[in-house]
Amino acid sequence: MFGDVPYRTSALVKHNLILRLRDPGQLISYMVTPMVLMLLLKPLYTKAYSGPLNGGVVQAVTGQMVMFSVFAMAIVGNSIFIEREWRTWDRLRASSATKGELLVGKSLPVYAVLVLQQIVLIYYGCLVVGMPAPKSVGLLVLGVAVWGFTLMAMGSALATLVRSRGDLMMASDVGSIAVSALGGALLPVALMPGWARHVAPVSPGYWGLRMTQAAVNGHAGEMMRAASICLAIGVAAGSVAAYRLARGWGRSRLA
């Protein structure tokens, strides 16, 4: 039985990867839109920053990258919710595949989508927008991996808690704007009103942005601190998603 684990897991990964490739619209939108906004917002950020010019360019690239990677939680949510909509998750649970294999098969393609989106936007930021090359590629790779895990866990948890696809889209849109805006992706935290500066650390986007900017600037200590908080958020959200998925998430019927 255990010898069949790689076969079952690879079959699940392949199946979910095909589903993602057949519906690339969201991913394309979340890649193209931030590319345009990076170019449009770059002059504004460079004027707003009193420090070195590169600070504004880094904010223009990493801010849009974090904002639209948070929006990509909708891709994660849809990948989970579609099983609920098709009422196929219980059938998968009744198969010989274990719960761990089901979660890995569902998660890996979505995780690859999130990592790909971030890598493409960082390359674009360096080659087209003018962001300086990251001082530590290793830190940046680690940051991309951690932030992708955090988003995947948050999106999965969201998909197991909502009642309908409409609720999922509303929660992901409103939540993404709130998380990224409060986190400083749109406006640097230092330029926010006083109350917003105090609330900002509550947002996962705040730590995702700090982690990414610290990785680009080669600040290992600050990056690792932000990464540990992102990991904690991801583990908490992932635990909620795994608990709900393993038990058929209670609300097996759509509203």
Side-chain angles (χ1 to χ4, degrees):
M1 177 179 178
F2 291 106
D4 296 333
V5 171
Y7 172 76
R8 289 196 300 264
T9 304
S10 62
L12 289 166
V13 170
K14 183 179 179 181
H15 169 68
N16 285 287
L17 183 60
I18 291 173
L19 292 179
R20 288 295 88 223
L21 293 177
R22 286 181 177 177
D23 186 20
Q26 281 181 302
L27 177 61
I28 294 173
S29 173
Y30 296 148
M31 280 189 182
V32 174
T33 306
M35 288 178 178
V36 175
L37 290 178
M38 285 178 190
L39 293 174
L40 292 175
L41 294 175
K42 176 184 172 183
L44 176 64
Y45 286 133
T46 52
K47 287 183 180 179
Y49 268 73
S50 58
L53 178 66
N54 285 341
V57 179
V58 171
Q59 172 68 29
V61 174
T62 57
Q64 296 306 307
M65 189 207 79
V66 168
M67 181 173 180
F68 281 87
S69 62
V70 176
F71 271 114
M73 279 198 312
I75 299 176
V76 183
N78 275 325
S79 73
I80 299 289
F81 195 84
I82 198 168
E83 300 286 356
R84 179 178 176 181
E85 196 171 54
W86 291 347
R87 300 188 179 183
T88 51
W89 186 257
D90 285 340
R91 297 180 186 178
L92 290 173
R93 292 174 64 225
S95 70
S96 57
T98 65
K99 296 179 180 64
E101 292 168 18
L102 293 176
L103 289 174
V104 170
K106 176 61 71 177
S107 302
L108 277 183
V110 180
Y111 183 73
V113 167
L114 290 171
V115 170
L116 174 66
Q117 182 212 29
Q118 294 178 73
I119 292 174
V120 169
L121 291 179
I122 289 172
Y123 265 101
Y124 175 84
C126 293
L127 296 176
V128 179
V129 184
M131 185 177 77
K135 294 183 178 179
S136 172
V137 176
L139 284 179
L140 188 59
V141 170
L142 179 60
V144 167
V146 170
W147 187 231
F149 166 75
T150 305
L151 294 172
M152 184 185 67
M154 290 169 59
S156 299
L158 180 63
T160 64
L161 295 173
V162 297
R163 296 176 62 88
S164 67
R165 184 180 289 271
D167 289 351
L168 174 64
M169 299 311 298
M170 181 194 69
S172 60
D173 287 349
V174 175
S176 297
I177 292 174
V179 166
S180 55
L182 278 177
L186 278 177
L187 183 68
V189 174
L191 301 179
M192 288 181 176
W195 66 268
R197 290 199 296 271
H198 292 296
V199 174
V202 176
S203 168
Y206 173 83
W207 297 107
L209 184 61
R210 287 194 63 171
M211 176 175 64
T212 305
Q213 292 182 345
V216 170
N217 293 323
H219 299 158
E222 183 180 352
M223 185 271 173
M224 295 305 292
R225 176 171 176 264
S228 64
I229 295 174
C230 288
L231 274 177
I233 295 171
V235 169
S239 299
V240 172
Y243 177 84
R244 298 279 291 176
L245 286 171
R247 286 160 178 76
W249 53 69
R251 295 169 177 168
S252 58
R253 295 181 181 278
L254 293 173

